[in-house]
Amino acid sequence: MNLGRITGQVRIVGAGLLGASIGHGLRAKGVDVILHDASRTTATLAIDYGAGRAPQADDKPSLVIVAVPPDVTAEVVARELMAWPQATVTDVASVKVGVIDELIALGADLDRYVGSHPLAGRERGGAISARADLFIGRPWVIGRGEPFRRRAIEDVVIELGAIPVTMSASEHDDAVALISHVPQVVASLLAHRLAGASDAAVGLAGQGLRDTTRIASSAPELWVQILGANAGPVASVLREFQAELAVAIEALENPDAPGSRRALAEVLAGGNDGVARIPGKHGTSKQFSRLVVIIDDKPGQLARLLTEIGEANVNMEDLRLEHSPGAQFGLAEISVLPEKEATLLSELEARGWKIAETFA
Amino acid sequence: MNLGRITGQVRIVGAGLLGASIGHGLRAKGVDVILHDASRTTATLAIDYGAGRAPQADDKPSLVIVAVPPDVTAEVVARELMAWPQATVTDVASVKVGVIDELIALGADLDRYVGSHPLAGRERGGAISARADLFIGRPWVIGRGEPFRRRAIEDVVIELGAIPVTMSASEHDDAVALISHVPQVVASLLAHRLAGASDAAVGLAGQGLRDTTRIASSAPELWVQILGANAGPVASVLREFQAELAVAIEALENPDAPGSRRALAEVLAGGNDGVARIPGKHGTSKQFSRLVVIIDDKPGQLARLLTEIGEANVNMEDLRLEHSPGAQFGLAEISVLPEKEATLLSELEARGWKIAETFA
């Protein structure tokens, strides 16, 4: 029973986290999902978990989704285009220009191919970690191409709860270089500086350091592939970063030279401008007021706090927990609309909560 | 009534966020706090708010805490050392070597001075934002120096709930360059790259970009002072960053050259090593299992979730909220001890919660 807009068979090649998650999501909507993987064990496992069914001799997929590692994506897309002469074929690789270049070199039928890329969280897992709702609310880039082919992919994206975004392959690769690949390199370079630091120095670490370096814990194997596949756009953004870094270092090494303070101020103001471009909740970059509440580090405390925020009829816009090393309590940073701050502050204080800090 | 270990008068010079917060914290413990500020309006305001009392002719402080802007700290410390020939004098400036150099140049009595630095969150505010519990659980660096003088400062640090950490001025400045000042510069340089980006590109932003650039929204005026005062140590760490950045760019611009993949892998692995050095909750860097739960974006939902986690008798180690732009729901990422994951997963699913993702 298909309740949605997808009427044909969907064939998924590659039963890792992305492929199996697409399978689960589409099957939940009643779609006939054919699952194939080069590894029979992987395919069987994903099918056992309910991500799709095994291929049959009379399969006739209208859409093929290739969800294999980036370095073999083009080859598999070309093979699928040959195998299913009517089908639309897409892939979900995180870099797009290289796939098209390879497909051209392979002489593939590009009329039926439109690349895509779901920006779906952490790329860990495999079939066991797959989830029907992995894509809910996430952007999913679909390449420019033949409208009929694009529509077939868009139908899947919408069924999975993702938000379709149209971009050419090079627009996409430039965008992900900027918003994902360069931050990864920069976070890794920054975190590496800590490798030789004293315990005393890292013991002073606050939330700022934790935030700026968190993604530096990503898997090197995967990221070498991603960076290699998008090397040009990543290098180009890093070159700009490098030029401004040189200005900052020059200013710091000559702090009393004329213009040095101004150069540093411009670096910092540039950062202000940039961070203001990142869309916040509901697509806005609205500024919230924040309250920092002290909570005991035991079950139920945070729930009680949030229940009481709810009772105060204040909608929490964001929440962040912070633990102090060695301390038996935590800090909950609560963001609310500025006009709600005073109400919340007095309600919480009336209920005995200790507010560590408030700022707009 | 003084319930703690501080028996003498404490004089605080500078009634901004830090000075007034120290005042509130010490008065709550029954200490006689004298508050002075170069601005009579600021002093009166802070005294009205209860951060201390006005100076009197017969004051005899045993400890003076200088909490004025970094660029006038040494001058004020020297003046206070002269004014109170018996008193221990400290300051709370975020950079330490420069203060000592200036004090030497001013011929100050360094036997009675020991510098200190509370790593107390965001440096915003003023007296109105001051809070008695601003320092709870935070590290507070105290310089090396005469043990009797150090003890006087340590008593205050402990009364305020902070964690005393001993470091020389240069150890301190190197440490904060690494864990605070360099991350600030790097985050600003990274965020600045977004200033000219298309809306479509920034629309793909995920949590990684938000985390790596969050501190780039800091106030440029304050940070120009801090970076200027610690220019040498900051430049030195940035030079190392710059050298490795050049290697990364070289590898990206020649992705097929021998050794390029390896060079990138080493950058990424170096980041893994560095991030592993940052102490986590309770001083450990234990790895938690994480569950991502889908919650409706309305009051009470998150509280219900957390109440039910408490009912399942699972202690949440960390919590992070993530909102999808344009979506009417959020994702709550819950960290728990690995042995609690299965219990929590089944308990939450039994109560109808949708789990978007789980990973170790």
Side-chain angles (χ1 to χ4, degrees), chain A residues 119 122 124 131 133-134 136-139 141 163 167 175 178-179 182-184 186 188-195 197-204 207-218 220 223-224 227-228 231 234-235 237-242 244-246 249 252-253 261 265 267-268 270-272 274-275 277-279 281-283 290 294 297 299 302-303 306-307 315-327 329 331 333 349 354-357 359-360, chain B residues 119 122 124 131 133-134 136-139 141 163 167 175 178-179 182-184 186 188-195 197-204 207-218 220 223-224 227-228 231 234-235 237-242 244-246 249 252-253 261 265 267-268 270-272 274-275 277-279 281-283 290 294 297 299 302-303 306-307 315-327 329 331 333 349 354-357 359-360:
Chain A
L119 285 106
R122 306 87 186 166
R124 320 195 191 191
R131 289 269 155 191
D133 36 24
L134 184 65
I136 293 181
R138 306 276 187 174
V141 175
I163 300 158
M167 282 187 181
L178 188 65
I179 61 106
V182 165
Q184 177 63 53
V186 167
S188 294
L189 292 172
L190 177 61
H192 197 182
R193 309 279 73 77
L194 304 171
S198 69
D199 286 348
V202 295
L204 302 184
Q207 197 57 37
L209 184 69
R210 289 190 173 79
D211 285 350
T212 49
T213 59
R214 187 178 60 81
I215 58 171
S217 59
S218 299
W223 274 96
V224 168
L227 295 174
V234 174
V237 179
L238 286 178
R239 278 278 183 214
E240 286 177 39
F241 183 104
Q242 187 181 40
E244 200 179 5
L245 173 62
I249 292 176
L252 288 163
E253 289 184 342
R261 295 292 165 121
V267 167
L268 293 157
N272 286 181
V275 83
R277 296 293 320 284
I278 303 176
K281 191 183 174 187
H282 306 322
R290 283 168 287 170
I294 298 176
D297 186 14
L302 188 59
L306 299 181
T307 302
N315 195 5
M316 195 165 53
E317 300 295 332
D318 205 353
L319 171 65
R320 179 172 279 258
L321 279 195
E322 197 171 311
H323 289 286
S324 311
F329 60 88
L331 302 172
E333 182 183 303
E349 288 188 331
K354 293 179 85 172
I355 314 297
E357 216 175 327
F359 46 87
Chain B
L119 285 107
R122 305 89 187 163
R124 321 196 191 192
R131 288 272 154 187
D133 37 24
L134 184 65
I136 293 182
R138 306 278 188 173
V141 175
I163 298 158
M167 282 188 182
L178 187 66
I179 62 107
V182 165
Q184 178 62 52
V186 167
S188 294
L189 292 171
L190 177 61
H192 197 182
R193 309 280 73 77
L194 304 171
S198 69
D199 287 347
V202 293
L204 302 185
Q207 197 57 36
L209 184 69
R210 289 189 173 81
D211 284 348
T212 48
T213 59
R214 187 177 60 82
I215 57 172
S217 61
S218 299
W223 274 96
V224 169
L227 295 174
V234 174
V237 179
L238 286 177
R239 278 279 182 213
E240 286 176 37
F241 183 104
Q242 187 180 42
E244 198 178 6
L245 173 63
I249 292 176
L252 288 162
E253 289 184 343
R261 295 292 166 122
V267 167
L268 295 157
N272 286 181
V275 83
R277 295 294 318 283
I278 304 175
K281 189 184 175 189
H282 307 321
R290 283 169 287 172
I294 299 177
D297 188 11
L302 188 59
L306 299 183
T307 303
N315 195 6
M316 196 166 54
E317 301 295 332
D318 206 354
L319 171 67
R320 179 171 278 257
L321 280 192
E322 198 171 312
H323 289 286
S324 311
F329 61 87
L331 302 174
E333 182 184 301
E349 288 188 333
K354 291 178 86 173
I355 315 296
E357 215 174 328
F359 46 87

Side-chain angles (χ1 to χ4, degrees), chain A residues 286-291 314-315 317 335-344 359-360:
Chain A
K286 182 182 291 207
Q287 199 59 42
F288 297 116
S289 293
R290 283 168 287 170
L291 278 145
V314 173
N315 195 5
E317 300 295 332
S335 301
V336 296
L337 290 174
E339 58 268 30
K340 293 287 190 181
E341 185 193 345
T343 312
L344 184 59
F359 46 87

